[in-house]
Amino acid sequence: MFDTSAISRGFFIYGKHRSWKTGINGLVSQVSETEILVQFLPDIQNAAKHYRIQAEEVKREEWELLISENLQDIFEVKHDGAA
């Protein structure tokens, strides 16, 4: 589960799913205990897109995540082994 007291809307995020060649920078659009919705600008830059990060996928170590509120203090989200 995501800690909604530590991550909130407007935070900067770098996410890389294990199936992607490169990660994508974006902004947290919504966050719940089970999902983070990330908004980002694609290469064509005339529309915004999003991707979803499921807590279960983070638990299975499918994501590399770096999150920051201010781009100075950056923390990495890792699965801690808790159920």
Side-chain angles (χ1 to χ4, degrees):
M1 291 188 163
F2 295 115
D3 182 354
T4 57
S5 67
I7 305 168
S8 63
R9 183 182 173 125
F11 277 35
F12 300 96
I13 188 166
Y14 166 86
K16 182 180 179 298
H17 188 266
R18 69 178 178 173
S19 65
W20 301 351
K21 290 183 180 181
T22 61
I24 299 174
N25 293 313
L27 294 172
V28 173
S29 179
Q30 293 179 340
V31 63
S32 71
E33 291 181 347
T34 59
E35 179 180 80
I36 297 174
L37 181 66
V38 179
Q39 189 169 9
F40 69 97
L41 294 175
D43 290 338
I44 59 172
Q45 297 185 6
N46 65 351
K49 291 195 170 195
H50 69 273
Y51 60 90
R52 296 176 188 275
I53 302 167
Q54 302 293 324
E56 283 296 315
E57 292 177 349
V58 174
K59 182 178 178 180
R60 291 191 304 261
E61 300 181 356
E62 296 180 22
W63 284 94
E64 175 185 336
L65 300 175
L66 300 173
I67 302 173
S68 177
E69 181 178 12
N70 56 21
L71 292 178
Q72 292 181 14
D73 304 313
I74 299 170
F75 64 94
E76 185 173 5
V77 176
K78 290 186 177 182
H79 172 57
D80 62 4

